[in-house]
Amino acid sequence: MKFKTYIKPLISLLEEHKNAQNAANVEKYMRNKFAFYGIKTDERRKLCRQFTNEYGFPPIEEIPNFVYELWTHEYRDIHYFTMDTVNKFSEKSDENWIEVFEYMITNNSWWDTVDIIASRIIGTHFKTYPNAINTTTTTWIESENFWLNRTAILFQLHYKTLTDSELLFNYILKVSESKEFFIRKAIGWALRQYSKTAPETVRNFVDTTQLSPLSKREALKWINRNK
């Protein structure tokens, strides 16, 4: 299937609704890393639904090729469409798709896609293939790519009582001295989310671990708000 041909009607649809001023604003907000059509999120999703209602989704066996072809597109909106499409299939993912997800994490990387891929797509994938967690995420947390480090910390974000706290805490300890903002923020976010399930466990970890002020502040937000 030629996916550049497949999405031509979608591109035409998005072009019709392009807003130059909104595009300039969001591109500035995203540090001019990507081009945007300037369409608000709700409207973009509505237009994408309109497209898929007419043209359907790619066959599930073609999802890897779909990603590899569309993830190189110049417009971020097409990345969002690709990511949302993959998310719809994440519960039916093949075990080998982890290579595709890693490609998405390490290419055209920024928080707006990495966080959803990590916490939603990869999080769901590892619930299906739990035996792959340790080998894969150990490689990620030890990588020099901080987006992979962030993914290793965030993939359990929505696991609640299923969270492997030992794994989470071990990974945080491995990168706790990082100066990278996105790692410090991820540590705090992951701990804050888990504190909604195990507040005392998180507080004890924070109290006994050397973390950056940012990580600690973020980690304890929910706990302090609900004293």
Side-chain angles (χ1 to χ4, degrees), residues 24-134:
N25 291 338
V26 72
E27 285 168 9
K28 182 179 179 181
Y29 174 70
M30 298 295 284
R31 301 185 183 180
N32 295 308
K33 290 182 175 293
F34 312 101
F36 284 83
Y37 289 112
I39 303 169
K40 299 291 186 181
T41 300
D42 288 347
E43 184 182 3
R44 172 178 54 78
R45 287 174 175 165
K46 181 179 178 181
L47 293 172
C48 288
R49 282 196 301 271
Q50 181 180 328
F51 167 78
T52 54
N53 284 342
E54 182 171 355
Y55 295 94
F57 291 103
I60 189 169
E61 65 274 10
E62 289 284 347
I63 289 297
N65 292 332
F66 169 78
V67 170
Y68 290 134
E69 192 158 345
L70 269 61
W71 206 249
T72 59
H73 198 278
E74 64 176 311
Y75 277 89
R76 195 60 160 172
D77 311 69
I78 300 301
H79 302 164
Y80 294 154
F81 169 71
T82 305
M83 180 176 64
D84 290 345
T85 299
V86 172
N87 193 31
K88 288 181 180 294
F89 288 96
S90 58
E91 291 186 353
K92 301 177 182 178
S93 63
D94 183 274
E95 188 169 5
N96 292 328
W97 284 15
I98 196 62
E99 298 174 6
V100 180
F101 305 151
E102 183 171 321
Y103 172 84
M104 296 170 76
I105 292 290
T106 55
N107 290 272
N108 281 318
S109 312
W110 201 237
W111 61 266
D112 58 328
T113 54
V114 168
D115 292 357
I116 294 174
I117 297 165
S119 65
R120 295 295 183 184
I121 296 175
I122 292 175
T124 298
H125 179 82
F126 280 145
K127 285 183 178 179
T128 305
Y129 304 103
N131 291 337
I133 291 175
N134 286 340

Side-chain angles (χ1 to χ4, degrees), residues 135-162:
T135 301
T136 304
T137 58
T138 295
T139 301
W140 289 350
I141 201 65
E142 294 175 352
S143 171
E144 294 183 0
N145 185 307
F146 69 82
W147 294 114
L148 289 176
N149 302 159
R150 185 172 168 97
T151 299
I153 294 169
L154 293 181
F155 82 89
Q156 297 188 88
L157 196 66
H158 304 293
Y159 277 27
K160 298 181 180 179
T161 58
L162 297 178

